[in-house]
Amino acid sequence: MFHWRPTDSAKRLAKEWKEMLLADDNVWDQAGFNDLLHKKLGPPVDDESGLVYAYDGTIKLGLLPASIFCSGHTYFIQAMYQQLRLKPYAVHTTFQIGSEGKRHRLREAMVFYDPPEYYDSPGGFLTFKPSIPKSLLLDGEHNLQTHFSLVNYQMKQIRTALAIASILNRTLVMPPVWCRLDKLWFPHSGIIAGSMTRQPFICPLDHVFEVHTMLKALPVEEYGPGINIREYSFFDNPSTPAQVKDSWLDVQLCQEGSEKCQSNITNTTRSLKFPKHNNEETLTTLLSPLKDVKVIQFSSMQDAFLGFSDKASEEKFRKRVKRYVGIWCCVGGHDPGHIYYDMYWDEKPDWKPLPPQTPEDDHPY
């Protein structure tokens, strides 16, 4: 973001920049602008303002503070404005590749406009209370092993939630995802040195998941029915209407066969006791009739679902969600340096967070 004062010097700079770009299509606009500013850089305007003379010696150049004129990193990762208790003036979705991921970050921050129908899905919503042991968040060093242990623990719960959302044809409101390491495009030790990134931190969904794939209309005959998602801040958004927030059912998981585990809805508490270890038929029988309830919230996703009874449905679901996860980047001294997240890591007792060891390993799907 630029703020230009309409001086004669600034107009000359703008004119020369425009002519440079028109004359050569190979000139990158940002690099060209920097070259012009550095034709003459310095001396300082004074000892206090932080301004310097630039361009032809008459332009006064200063930097807008990154705490309120936010890059994608100072806003979404470092949360610098929150730590300094400032109100941002602007945010730029840098440090992210892909339009879908950028939009999702803005939605998570509740600074993106969506039409009213976005906030009232016809099939209703599914959400759950994520459970994360404190040890996974805080114990030990922040390294590859502890980062993947934390993310994998959450991923398994999200996988279950995606399956139940698919069965009930509901839109899944994703939980906040916690990370211990940043994701960048170059080797690093976990965070950018000198940044205000706290560890652990709530990371954007695109740090772990391929948001563009989750939102893509994959062929149903090959991947099974699509699963709509919403951002973790969805119910906090003022745009979410009261008729959605007020139509709520809490599903409390309980031990099957116990006296207190009764599958009936209590109108006064808007809650439902629900046994663990459910199959597809049980979920469909007990929850599909509740189509008028806008939001169903599970108390937990651990042991909530045993799996699809139909092998074809199971295979299609697995094929779909395997493509939902992305990579962590990057390990130094190894080519390639990225490490794939694995939606079914728990089925591989010897799974470790390692980059691909062969070219064939670099294409897991």
Side-chain angles (χ1 to χ4, degrees):
M1 177 173 288
F2 296 103
H3 175 65
W4 297 61
R5 295 175 64 234
T7 63
D8 290 339
S9 298
K11 292 175 182 177
R12 285 199 303 274
L13 171 60
K15 184 173 184 294
E16 186 172 352
W17 187 29
K18 176 183 176 182
E19 291 174 348
M20 171 194 289
L21 299 178
L22 290 175
D24 189 349
D25 291 339
N26 294 319
V27 174
W28 182 29
D29 56 354
Q30 296 179 35
F33 182 78
N34 289 337
D35 290 343
L36 290 175
L37 283 182
H38 284 79
K39 285 171 62 175
K40 184 176 182 180
L41 189 63
V45 173
D46 51 45
D47 295 332
E48 298 179 355
S49 67
L51 301 176
V52 298
Y53 288 106
Y55 179 50
D56 60 359
T58 62
I59 286 278
K60 294 178 181 178
L61 174 66
L63 299 179
L64 297 172
S67 55
I68 58 174
F69 293 90
C70 310
S71 72
H73 201 275
T74 60
Y75 187 89
F76 297 109
I77 309 301
Q78 299 181 46
M80 184 184 290
Y81 73 96
Q82 290 180 340
Q83 296 193 55
L84 299 177
R85 298 185 179 182
L86 300 172
K87 184 177 181 179
Y89 185 87
V91 58
H92 189 184
T93 52
T94 50
F95 287 79
Q96 208 287 336
I97 299 174
S99 298
E100 296 291 0
K102 292 180 177 182
R103 274 191 286 270
H104 197 83
R105 287 191 180 195
L106 293 171
R107 285 169 172 150
E108 289 177 333
M110 297 186 289
V111 292
F112 188 81
Y113 172 79
D114 279 296
E117 54 266 27
Y118 179 85
Y119 298 96
D120 192 1
S121 176
F125 300 95
L126 176 74
T127 184
F128 70 97
K129 295 180 179 179
S131 172
I132 307 174
K134 190 176 180 180
S135 59
L136 287 179
L137 289 163
L138 301 175
D139 286 2
E141 297 181 358
H142 296 293
N143 55 34
L144 281 176
Q145 186 60 55
T146 58
H147 169 75
F148 273 85
S149 294
L150 171 61
V151 171
N152 285 349
Y153 191 87
Q154 299 169 86
M155 190 186 302
K156 186 177 179 180
Q157 297 176 57
I158 293 171
R159 184 183 77 200
T160 300
L162 287 166
I164 295 176
S166 175
I167 291 168
L168 300 178
N169 193 28
R170 286 182 173 266
T171 296
L172 177 62
V173 178
M174 299 292 288
V177 177
W178 286 86
C179 293
R180 294 181 70 142
L181 301 183
D182 198 354
K183 176 183 177 180
L184 300 161
W185 57 91
F186 52 82
H188 60 97
S189 59
I191 60 173
I192 296 178
S195 71
M196 293 182 68
T197 305
R198 292 180 173 180
Q199 294 173 279
F201 62 99
I202 294 177
C203 49
L205 189 66
D206 60 81
H207 259 39
V208 176
F209 291 88
E210 296 285 356
V211 176
H212 67 281
T213 302
M214 299 180 83
L215 301 179
K216 185 178 180 181
L218 297 173
V220 175
E221 56 276 8
E222 186 176 358
Y223 297 97
I227 309 168
N228 292 325
I229 63 168
R230 294 293 186 268
E231 62 281 2
Y232 71 82
S233 58
F234 181 79
F235 296 119
D236 295 323
N237 198 313
S239 296
T240 302
Q243 64 262 29
V244 170
K245 295 180 181 180
D246 293 342
S247 180
W248 196 283
L249 175 68
D250 283 313
V251 174
Q252 301 289 331
L253 291 181
C254 52
Q255 195 62 42
E256 187 178 8
S258 66
E259 293 182 4
K260 296 182 180 180
C261 194
Q262 301 296 325
S263 302
N264 62 320
I265 299 176
T266 304
N267 292 327
T268 56
T269 59
R270 293 188 299 179
S271 65
L272 171 66
K273 297 290 186 180
F274 205 81
K276 296 180 180 180
H277 309 295
N278 295 282
N279 55 30
E280 187 175 355
E281 286 77 14
T282 305
L283 288 167
T284 303
T285 300
L286 295 178
L287 296 179
S288 288
L290 305 175
K291 297 184 184 298
D292 292 338
V293 177
K294 292 291 186 180
V295 183
I296 294 179
Q297 176 178 261
F298 273 66
S299 61
S300 173
M301 279 296 163
Q302 297 189 35
D303 301 321
F305 180 56
L306 285 175
F308 292 86
S309 53
D310 179 65
K311 289 185 177 181
S313 297
E314 175 76 25
E315 287 303 313
K316 290 178 181 179
F317 174 78
R318 292 172 70 97
K319 193 172 184 179
R320 171 179 288 276
V321 298
K322 281 180 180 180
R323 285 157 178 75
Y324 280 5
V325 290
I327 61 171
W328 178 86
C329 196
C330 296
V331 175
H334 195 282
D335 186 21
H338 54 251
I339 301 173
Y340 285 95
Y341 290 103
D342 189 336
M343 185 66 89
Y344 289 92
W345 62 273
D346 54 313
E347 297 180 357
K348 303 167 184 175
D350 58 346
W351 189 92
K352 294 180 181 179
L354 296 173
Q357 302 299 301
T358 67
E360 292 75 22
D361 293 336
D362 201 17
H363 303 279
Y365 308 129

